[in-house]
Every structure is written in C-alpha cells, then in structure tokens.
Amino acid sequence: MAERSTAAVDVADNDGDEPSAAQAAKVTSDGVNTQNGRAADGPMPEKDGERTNTASTAAPELHSGHKLARRYRLEECVTRVDGFSSWRAMDEKLRRAVGVHLMPADHSRARSVLAAARSSALLGDPRFVQVLDAVEENDLVYVVHEWLPDATELTALLAAGPLEAHEAYQLVSQVSQAMAAAHREGLAHLRLTPSAILRTSTGQWRIRGLAVNAALRGITSETPQRADTEAIGALLYAALTQRWPYESDAYGLTGLPKGVGLIAPDQVRAGVHRGLGELAMRALANDGATASRQEPACTTPEELSKAVSAMPRIRPPEPAFTAPPEYQHTTYQQGSYGRTTSSGVPTAQSLPVAPPPPPLQSRTGRALKWGVAALLIAALGLGSWQLADTLLERGTQKGNSGTSNNTKPGTDDNPKAEPGEQLPLSHARVLAIGGDDQVKPELAAKAIDGSTEPGWVTPQYLGYSNLGNLPGRKDGSGIVVDLGKVKDVTGLDVDLYVEGQKIQVLAAPEDASNPNSLSAFSQQLTKLEVAPKKLQATLEKPVRTRFVLIHITDLPSDGEGGYRGGINEIRVLGKPS
C-alpha cells in the first residue's frame, strides 16, 4: 500500500544549490532549498516527492526588536521567502537563543505547519532539534525551535573534506536509527540534506526540520520512508567521497559526471571503506539491489538501521602518539665526568664538556673572597640606610593644601590631580552612534540609579562582537550622562557588566548643549582599550564639560556562543561648581 506523508522539514536558504561559506558555518540557519540535488522551489518531478503551488501570501513585515508573546524577541532575520520568514530570537524568560519561523495566519500552509510542528514536539526524541512552541496569535502563526550554537552543519564539515570512516559510520547509524523511530510515530522528514544534519561539540549527530519544513514548503510524498532512506544514502555517499551522488552540483559539493549514472563510492575516491560504500549504494538504489551486490536494497530507515547494525563495528582511529626523544645520560651518570679519555676511545657524549674552574684555594684567593664579601655587606647597609632616610622624609612632607601627601605623585614639581568627589548625574541616555538605532534605550537610567543590580545590558549577539550586523551599530554604542551643568571632571569610576569590553570615555566641549553624534564628543578622557570589569581613571588635569560618553565598540564572548556587554553603574568624579 502506498504511503503518503505531509511531514515537514526545516527552513531553506533563499539562494541556490551552493550555499556560501558563511551560510554553511551558521549552524542554526536554514538548509538549502533543494532535494537530492534538484531544486525544490518548483514542482518535484521524482516519484518520492511533490510540491504544492507556491503560496501568494507575503511574509510578515516584522523587524528586529519585535516581541512575540511578550517573551520571544526577534533579533536577526535569516530567511524571508515563499510567504514565511525565519529568525534568530531571544527567549527573555529563559535567557537563551531560539529559532522562530513566522507566517501569516491566513497563509495556505499555516494549518499544516501548526499540525506538523505540534506532532514533532510530541515525539520528544533528543536526536532531533526540538520544537519548543507552536502558536497562532494576532494573525500570525509561529513555530519556536532550539538554537544550537555549539553545533556544526554537515555542509561545513564536508567543505573541509570527506569524513573519516568512523565518523561516517556514526553518522549513518545515528541518523537511520532516529528516522526509524520517527517513522514508527508516523513522521517523515523528506528534506534530509547536509544542512539538516548537525554535529554537536560532544560528537552527537542531531537532525533538524522534522515535520516543519515540508509543511512550510508544501512538500509531500507518496513514499516518505523510501524518500528519507534515499536521502540518508546520499548523505553517507557525500560523507565518504565529498561528492554529491547526482549529476547536478549541490550543497557546495560537485556532482557525478554526466551520463555515467550512479557509480560506487570506491570508484570515485580511493580508500573508501568498502562496507560503508556498499551500504550507501543499497540505500540509494531505487529499484532493487545494485549491480555489484546481491543484497536487497534498503527501502526504509528501519531496514537501513538493521543493515548498519549487521556490519562489523568500525572502531575510532587510534590517537596519534609521538614518541619522546631518546633519553640522554649525563656525563656524571655515565661515570665519565672529570675523566680524561685516551685518544681513539669513543665517548657517549659527543659534545666536549668544559672543565670546572679551579677553586680559589691559595692565600691570595681566600683574601679576595673575604674582601668581596665585606664590600657587598657595606653596600647593602648603605643602601638600606638611604632608603629608610628617604621614606622618613616623605612621610613628614606636607602637600600644598597643608595635608599629608599620600596620593600617588607624578613629579615633585607637578603632582598628579586629585580624583575629586562624586558629581550628581541628572540624566542618562543611549547614544545612537550610527543613526536612529538605539541599543536598549529603556535601560539607560539603570546605569546611574546607584543600584548594584545589572544596569544597561546589551542583547546577545551571535556571530558579531561589534554589537550586531546592522548598519547603525558599526561604530558601537554607549551611554551619555548629563551633569546638569558644566563642571570640572577629574576622574571616573565605572562598574561594567563584564570584563573584556573595548571602551573609551569621551566628553563634549564646554559649550555643547545636546550632543547627538560621536563626533560631537571631541575630548578624550581615556583611550580606546579592553577594560576590566571596573574602569577607574584619574585625569592629569580637570576637563570642563557637561556631557560624558562611555563608548563601547566591541563585546566579549558570553560563554553561550554569543557576545554581550553593558554598564552597571557610572560615577563621574570632579569639582562641583
């Protein structure tokens, strides 16, 4: 009996069969919009798949910063095509990155997308990228799924070369077992491309797009198990040969020569594991066994999984071990130290050993030793006395103000300026350095509220340490504090959200009234450098200004695969006027 499935897959890129290196490296972006090397944007001619007509509904016009369900904040659009869009977003409730697919509620595929996402979420298999939420709200349908910043697409792995035999074995074993479990629950993938397969930092293979992308693209199949099995075979073939097993190029891989048909992997590349190559051919063959083998073709993921289990297990390669250099005995251990060797007798030590200097055993030598020791003792005593005398004199000196001078001096004639007292700050705002695009303007006031809680904190940026990839962020961002009126600024004491941020502190001219650009802050209080978590500075001479800018140009890694920074509290020191 013919099978029919409307299961879905993950999102597709909006370019062709060969994704760019940047797209291949982004492990949470969407897969290439082809199946088995053939474009999927038009009708699917092969017998295992067909595609409904392209929807006419336009993708929702949303922008970075939009929040769904008062929880998921959209940050970067990674796909906008065919009536839907896909985003990298931030789950503000759990403070983690997620992926979001969006489409209008009146889209012709909206109902099937919701049904497919909810079916996938019920599976709960950790071998698949999990669907976290599927909602219809405010004329929008959106699906929220996991975002794996520590994983790498198979596309990127194959760009570096074919996989080692053990890695290819683990790939086909884990993917076939996972898909067999999904088909037992009535779920198919239909788009198992290299961009849908991820390898985590622990070596586990995970599959994304189960029961979502096919619904987004309107792809169905009369024989979903056969389609998924052949796709797994194509993945194994590509992993062994770094070639796509069809005539057309796809996923950054070169296709097979035209007109020769499907050839065995060991005829494409020398050194391919024969058992894995035969397994790929059995999965790829559409009608029975291959010409070179008598085993039947694998037509379901369950059959493929059993065929993998029946193979002898492929062990991981032995770790490379470099032998240490041969131990060389010293001349003392060899018993030749201080001995003379007669000519013609070889020695174990090839380099000549310098004889030790003769000891000072004569009467003159002993007198010389005692004289040097006496001179050293006298020099140490004289130096200690001079140091103590200098410290006592400095302790009794008074500064120009009549108080004890216990601040760090510059020179005796030009002492360093005093830090001053904390000046009141009347207002704080975020400076939109590249235009009107402000970073978290609603949090600016927290940077001067005197609290120890986190103040102005940037969003998490994935892949961009310079505050994102928007044009308005190319020169960074920062907080401008208003002293209320022109005052003499002599120092700074700034508590930062995290160490490692690249920061400079600038001040506007004395006559500035409302500086709104980076060029309006012409006085530099500190140079641009990577700062610790607490930024403190004492100026050599006071600077008269009313507006001070804490300018951040680069953010450190947050340890979760992204970049984040911010300012907790700003204190400006000076002389109140």
Side-chain angles (χ1 to χ4, degrees):
M1 182 178 296
E3 307 171 90
R4 183 172 184 85
S5 171
T6 56
V9 269
D10 224 355
V11 186
D13 287 327
N14 48 16
D15 53 5
D17 287 341
E18 295 183 0
S20 64
Q23 290 166 329
K26 293 175 69 173
V27 298
T28 48
S29 64
D30 302 312
V32 178
N33 189 25
T34 58
Q35 177 167 326
N36 295 341
R38 298 178 285 270
D41 287 331
M44 299 293 285
E46 65 272 14
K47 68 177 184 178
D48 290 326
E50 61 183 61
R51 179 185 174 85
T52 60
N53 293 332
T54 302
S56 59
T57 307
E61 289 295 333
L62 300 178
H63 303 281
S64 298
H66 184 86
K67 195 174 294 185
L68 301 171
R70 295 184 295 178
R71 174 176 179 176
Y72 304 112
R73 185 183 71 251
L74 303 181
E75 292 197 341
E76 182 181 5
C77 182
V78 295
T79 302
R80 189 185 297 274
V81 64
D82 207 14
F84 66 90
S85 60
S86 299
W87 295 76
R88 174 178 57 81
M90 173 59 67
D91 183 350
E92 294 188 336
K93 183 176 181 180
L94 298 180
R95 297 184 65 82
R96 64 178 180 181
V98 294
V100 178
H101 307 318
L102 282 165
M103 64 169 42
D106 59 355
H107 196 288
S108 60
R109 303 174 195 149
R111 303 273 75 78
S112 60
V113 168
L114 280 175
R118 289 165 180 170
S119 299
S120 177
L122 291 175
L123 182 62
D125 193 319
R127 293 171 291 192
F128 295 91
V129 174
Q130 299 296 300
V131 172
L132 305 176
D133 212 347
V135 180
E136 180 179 358
E137 178 184 66
N138 297 332
D139 299 327
L140 284 176
V141 166
Y142 60 90
V143 176
V144 182
H145 62 84
E146 281 185 294
W147 189 277
L148 305 177
D150 68 330
T152 306
E153 283 186 6
L154 180 59
T155 310
L157 297 175
L158 293 180
L163 300 187
E164 183 269 335
H166 176 72
E167 280 292 322
Y169 172 79
Q170 291 295 326
L171 166 67
V172 67
S173 176
Q174 295 181 30
V175 172
S176 60
Q177 290 177 16
M179 288 310 306
H183 279 282
R184 284 194 292 268
E185 300 298 327
L187 296 172
H189 198 298
L190 307 184
R191 299 280 291 175
L192 282 170
T193 64
S195 57
I197 308 299
L198 307 174
R199 187 178 68 179
T200 66
S201 57
T202 60
Q204 178 188 10
W205 294 95
R206 299 188 65 179
I207 306 170
R208 65 177 173 193
L210 180 68
V212 175
N213 207 12
L216 285 169
R217 291 290 185 182
I219 299 172
T220 61
S221 175
E222 294 292 342
T223 55
Q225 295 205 49
R226 185 69 197 93
D228 281 346
T229 306
E230 184 175 354
I232 298 173
L235 294 174
L236 177 58
Y237 194 103
L240 295 172
T241 65
Q242 202 185 13
R243 297 285 292 269
W244 193 238
Y246 301 95
E247 292 185 353
S248 57
D249 300 344
Y251 314 107
L253 302 174
T254 305
L256 298 179
K258 298 185 183 300
V260 300
L262 182 62
I263 55 180
D266 55 4
Q267 297 178 15
V268 176
R269 176 177 169 266
V272 170
H273 189 281
R274 177 167 293 183
L276 292 175
E278 293 171 353
L279 194 66
M281 296 295 287
R282 291 176 63 187
L284 282 169
N286 290 318
D287 301 302
T290 65
S292 61
R293 302 292 298 175
Q294 296 302 317
E295 288 87 349
C298 298
T299 58
T300 67
E302 186 76 36
E303 293 177 358
L304 182 58
S305 174
K306 290 180 179 179
V308 176
S309 300
M311 288 180 55
R313 183 178 178 184
I314 301 175
R315 297 185 178 275
E318 294 293 333
F321 176 75
T322 303
E326 184 179 354
Y327 179 74
Q328 297 291 335
H329 289 275
T330 65
T331 55
Y332 180 81
Q333 292 171 324
Q334 295 170 354
S336 60
Y337 181 77
R339 294 183 182 178
T340 59
T341 305
S342 59
S343 59
V345 179
T347 60
Q349 194 76 4
S350 59
L351 296 177
V353 178
L360 297 175
Q361 297 296 338
S362 64
R363 181 178 301 175
T364 304
R366 287 195 296 270
L368 181 60
K369 287 192 294 184
W370 284 109
V372 171
L375 288 174
L376 289 175
I377 293 173
L380 287 174
L382 180 61
S384 300
W385 176 79
Q386 289 179 339
L387 178 61
D389 185 61
T390 302
L391 292 176
L392 288 173
E393 288 181 359
R394 290 187 179 181
T396 56
Q397 286 178 351
K398 301 294 182 177
N400 294 333
S401 59
T403 60
S404 178
N405 183 17
N406 20 6
T407 61
K408 291 184 179 180
T411 63
D412 293 338
D413 298 329
N414 185 22
K416 199 171 184 178
E418 294 287 341
E421 61 182 70
Q422 183 174 341
L423 301 177
L425 306 178
S426 64
H427 180 67
R429 59 184 172 88
V430 176
L431 181 64
I433 293 176
D436 298 329
D437 186 17
Q438 293 187 338
V439 179
K440 294 288 187 180
E442 69 277 6
L443 300 179
K446 290 188 175 183
I448 61 171
D449 61 359
S451 171
T452 59
E453 298 296 323
W456 177 73
V457 182
T458 71
Q460 182 191 48
Y461 298 100
L462 298 178
Y464 302 96
S465 64
N466 58 338
L467 288 85
N469 63 333
L470 301 178
R473 309 275 177 90
K474 65 179 181 179
D475 291 324
S477 186
I479 296 289
V480 177
V481 293
D482 185 356
L483 305 180
K485 61 180 180 178
V486 176
K487 297 181 181 179
D488 288 329
V489 175
T490 59
L492 301 160
D493 186 4
V494 183
D495 293 331
L496 301 175
Y497 177 71
V498 66
E499 66 177 346
Q501 303 179 80
K502 199 169 186 179
I503 291 179
Q504 65 177 343
V505 182
L506 307 173
E510 185 176 354
D511 57 353
S513 59
N514 187 25
N516 282 322
S517 64
L518 184 60
S519 60
F521 292 84
S522 57
Q523 303 186 85
Q524 187 176 52
L525 304 187
T526 68
K527 63 181 180 180
L528 183 62
E529 60 183 358
V530 177
K533 196 170 188 301
K534 192 173 187 64
L535 173 62
Q536 293 178 309
T538 300
L539 307 183
E540 292 183 358
K541 59 181 180 179
V543 174
R544 289 189 60 78
T545 186
R546 175 180 172 180
F547 301 96
V548 176
L549 166 64
I550 314 298
H551 178 209
I552 301 177
T553 64
D554 201 66
L555 305 177
S557 171
D558 62 357
E560 300 177 359
Y563 301 89
R564 190 191 296 272
I567 302 171
N568 287 344
E569 191 68 26
I570 301 173
R571 290 176 288 272
V572 179
L573 310 178
K575 301 176 181 177
S577 55

